[in-house]
Amino acid sequence: MKIFFHYLTPVFFIAIFISCKNHSSKNPYVFINRHWAQKISFIKKDSIKFELDSVTSPVVFSMQEVQQGDQRFFAYLNDETGSIYLNDFQTKKIIKKIQIQGADLKKYKKAFQGLYYHNKDTIFLFSYTPKVTMINDRGKILRIYSLPKEKGEGNKLFFRGFYVSTSIQPYLFENRLFINSIVVGDVKSGESRKVQMILDLKTGRDSIGKVCFPDAYQNKNYGGLHYDIYSVCYNPKFNIAVYSFPAHKKVILSNLFKNNIVNVLAESQFINDFTLYDEDQYKDAVSEPVGEYFMTTPTYGSIFYDKYRDVYYRLALLPVKERNVNYEQKNPPTKNISLIVFDKDFKYLGEKLLEKNRYWSSNAFVSKEGLNIQNRTNSDSTLNFTTFGFQQIPK
């Protein structure tokens, strides 16, 4: 019997709020005061179906494409058992399962939150504790890094753990592992909350980078949790980390080599502005007031870099029309996903509204074929993805 413990985790709670809504010819979100030239047409490809074993949930939050020589794999983590799976990209079959050597399975049950497969000799597993466990593809533990739970100046900064998922993976650059924290900073004091943790793999020392929550978040109430879950991707060509925050029209570019930060506009044509949270307006909510606020307001979601096409994908999550809905019921209304494509300089190329109730917006990865977004299905024997590509519209 499969283990669906994801449904009890905070990450899954977030995921169910950021699914999709259908493409309508009468789009209620378009703002006619802006001109958005579509330079590309989208290509929707057939679903990819990766084999899934009997003990892994189809809701997987840590996944990536892996290239080893001429072979390509789909790597993902079963965080219930602490096992890593590799599926062949051509056959879609499981070809390898990596389990920590000599491990007491009970010890590693629900021990790891995220995965980063750098190469067969350098694989990172992330724990809430917070710890980073480095292994190889034979499951041998190479080193365990334990990071302090509190850091900073005058105890004003606090490191409270990792946030690792398909939309916010770590990155290894010059023997430094860039990790992304849930919260680094004292929210109540109004201090800028930093989100970039840096681990020196040689010395084991950790430090805090410059990237903070945007100024737009300062002294404003966006309802907390849902608007704090940011996304990050990495451009290995220029060693740039790109951060996407839910209530910020711009993305934050962090140059890992020069250690500088730039804000660049990366908008959806369907998001005009953000509404602050007013608890009085949601006092009649059937579900949690903050949850209903999130569902009825727009946000930006995951961001991805496509190294094969040198473009960025950013997801926009558009508000539902319904109010006072029980979101714990079966098949509740869901947010509409819009897929935006930008070139390497974040110039707008095009945008597409996706189908209703079809995709998990936080479960996606980039491959040679395009952006693969996981389908919302009842299958427990395969992980199903729809691939989105595009082509230039002739001038």
Side-chain angles (χ1 to χ4, degrees), residues 291-308:
E292 172 140 330
Y293 158 74
F294 173 80
M295 291 298 294
T296 56
T297 55
T299 52
Y300 284 104
S302 303
I303 190 163
F304 304 91
Y305 174 67
D306 186 336
K307 65 181 181 181
Y308 302 104

Side-chain angles (χ1 to χ4, degrees), residues 1 8 43 54 79 106-107 117 124 169-170 220 232-233 236 317 330 339 354-355 382:
M1 180 177 178
L8 303 178
I43 303 170
S54 62
D79 41 1
K106 292 182 180 179
K107 179 180 178 181
Y117 194 113
F124 298 99
Q169 289 201 345
K220 293 181 180 179
V232 62
C233 67
L317 310 177
K330 186 177 181 180
L339 170 60
L354 305 188
E355 298 170 53
T382 56

Side-chain angles (χ1 to χ4, degrees), residues 127-314:
S127 307
Y128 283 109
T129 29
K131 289 183 180 179
V132 178
T133 302
M134 184 168 68
I135 66 173
N136 60 23
D137 69 347
R138 297 180 299 280
K140 180 181 179 180
I141 295 178
L142 305 178
R143 187 166 178 178
I144 297 177
Y145 300 89
S146 295
L147 303 182
K149 295 181 181 179
E150 295 189 2
K151 287 197 63 73
E153 307 159 0
N155 291 326
K156 291 183 179 180
L157 296 177
F158 299 89
F159 173 32
R160 301 184 180 175
F162 303 129
Y163 176 54
V164 184
S165 75
T166 58
S167 65
I168 185 167
Q169 289 201 345
Y171 180 67
L172 184 59
F173 172 63
E174 293 188 339
N175 213 50
R176 293 178 296 159
L177 184 65
F178 287 79
I179 314 168
N180 305 281
S181 69
I182 298 174
V183 175
V184 179
D186 187 351
V187 180
K188 293 182 180 180
S189 70
E191 181 179 1
S192 295
R193 289 177 288 164
K194 297 185 178 181
V195 297
Q196 190 180 64
M197 301 297 300
I198 306 167
L199 174 63
D200 188 311
L201 298 182
K202 287 186 177 179
T203 65
R205 296 177 181 175
D206 62 286
S207 57
I208 301 174
K210 289 184 177 181
V211 181
C212 300
F213 269 77
D215 291 340
Y217 275 74
Q218 297 301 314
N219 302 316
K220 293 181 180 179
N221 186 358
Y222 286 115
L225 175 66
H226 303 298
Y227 275 79
D228 284 351
I229 300 299
Y230 60 92
S231 174
V232 62
C233 67
Y234 294 89
N235 182 334
K237 185 176 181 180
F238 297 105
N239 291 305
I240 293 174
V242 182
Y243 291 79
S244 170
F245 290 84
H248 195 42
K249 293 180 179 180
K250 296 181 179 180
V251 292
I252 299 174
L253 277 58
S254 172
N255 188 309
L256 307 184
F257 182 74
K258 297 180 180 179
N259 197 27
N260 63 3
I261 295 172
V262 177
N263 283 261
V264 179
L265 199 63
E267 289 184 283
S268 163
Q269 63 175 303
F270 305 137
I271 297 181
N272 190 32
D273 210 346
F274 303 98
T275 305
L276 297 179
Y277 176 59
D278 182 350
E279 187 174 2
D280 289 340
Q281 293 184 15
Y282 297 90
K283 60 185 178 182
D284 296 326
V286 176
S287 298
E288 182 190 17
V290 171
E292 172 140 330
Y293 158 74
F294 173 80
M295 291 298 294
T296 56
T297 55
T299 52
Y300 284 104
S302 303
I303 190 163
F304 304 91
Y305 174 67
D306 186 336
K307 65 181 181 181
Y308 302 104
R309 299 159 190 82
D310 203 14
V311 299
Y312 294 93
Y313 307 106
R314 193 182 194 190

Side-chain angles (χ1 to χ4, degrees), residues 12 14 22-24 32 35 52 58 63 87 166 193 197 201 208 230 244 271 306 352 364 382 385:
F12 180 78
I14 294 164
N22 68 318
H23 184 354
S24 170
I32 59 175
H35 176 69
L52 198 64
M63 61 183 74
N87 287 44
T166 58
R193 289 177 288 164
M197 301 297 300
L201 298 182
I208 301 174
Y230 60 92
S244 170
I271 297 181
D306 186 336
K352 178 181 178 62
T382 56
F385 296 83

